Amino acid sequence: MVNVVDVDVPLGMIIPKAKLAIVSVSDTQGASSSRPSRHIDITEITFPYQPGDYVVHAAHGVAYFKELVRRDVDGTARDYLLLEYSEGDKLYVPVEQLDRVTRYVGPEGASPRLTRLNTADWSRALAKARKATKKLAFDLVDVYARRSTSWTCTRAAPRRRATASAPTPWRSARWKRPSPTRKRPISWPPSPT
């Protein structure tokens, strides 16, 4: 079966196991095709950050997003995020690496402490956060383990006695250990019910 679809494919490929071949226009007509190339301006698409937002770079830490900048590097114009760090440090992040930058989430209205480039600030903060997360995980496991083995109190309906004192919830309570789920033997073939 052959399907022809008009989609911009930069390069063709063949996947033998799937019995699939994708052929691009440049594969059939060479690099100079008659179709005009489209240039997409990065500022025209929806951009997740506004100038003045605090962001976090995965490798460098908390920064202030200054602006989107177009720079020429080796004769090629590229778009970069300009991030400002503590003490005037600047980092230009290519928009192709936008996935390495996320929005800072913290207390409402408070501005975060910016990290400094080429220092151990960010690595120390990451190590501290990992340690706190690990401690929290172990504490949660401990709480759930204690909860599953603790004694429980089940209240029975108050009994009327011929004594002078009225029944209290503590007198009518029954203390027991939680029982594990009962396992019923499997009978085969199942009996009709």
Side-chain angles (χ1 to χ4, degrees):
M1 176 189 327
V2 176
N3 288 334
V4 178
V5 181
D6 184 22
V7 178
D8 289 332
V9 178
L11 249 126
M13 66 181 90
I14 298 174
I15 305 171
K17 287 187 178 183
K19 296 181 180 178
L20 174 70
I22 299 174
V23 181
S24 69
V25 172
S26 63
D27 291 337
T28 60
Q29 300 176 357
S32 61
S33 73
S34 61
R35 294 180 119 180
S37 64
R38 292 184 294 171
H39 177 72
I40 299 174
D41 186 13
I42 193 68
T43 58
E44 292 176 3
I45 62 173
T46 305
F47 194 66
Y49 311 117
Q50 298 295 323
D53 287 347
Y54 289 100
V55 295
V56 180
H57 189 281
H60 302 290
V62 182
Y64 179 80
F65 173 62
K66 185 78 171 175
E67 62 182 330
L68 192 63
V69 179
R70 180 168 293 237
R71 296 188 72 181
D72 274 339
V73 178
D74 295 331
T76 306
R78 293 177 65 186
D79 293 317
Y80 295 88
L81 293 133
L82 174 56
L83 304 182
E84 286 190 356
Y85 287 86
S86 177
E87 297 187 22
D89 295 341
K90 293 180 181 178
L91 179 68
Y92 291 91
V93 180
V95 292
E96 292 83 15
Q97 296 178 11
L98 189 62
D99 60 328
R100 308 271 299 152
V101 179
T102 57
R103 185 179 306 279
Y104 173 81
V105 178
E108 196 69 33
S111 59
R113 182 177 159 260
L114 302 179
T115 55
R116 178 116 195 258
L117 288 178
N118 299 324
T119 62
D121 288 350
W122 184 242
S123 58
R124 276 195 303 264
L126 283 178
K128 186 176 175 182
R130 282 190 185 107
K131 185 176 178 182
T133 303
K134 193 173 188 179
K135 182 182 179 334
L136 177 65
F138 280 111
D139 289 348
L140 282 173
V141 168
D142 184 47
V143 165
Y144 285 116
R146 288 179 190 216
R147 193 178 284 175
S148 69
T149 60
S150 67
W151 290 75
T152 59
C153 174
T154 59
R155 284 194 188 182
R159 297 181 195 162
R160 295 286 181 197
R161 296 186 191 168
T163 59
S165 65
T168 65
W170 290 107
R171 285 187 185 164
S172 61
R174 293 197 175 117
W175 293 86
K176 67 173 188 172
R177 277 185 100 49
S179 61
T181 57
R182 280 190 169 159
K183 295 181 180 175
R184 297 188 335 205
I186 299 173
S187 59
W188 192 259
S191 58
T193 53

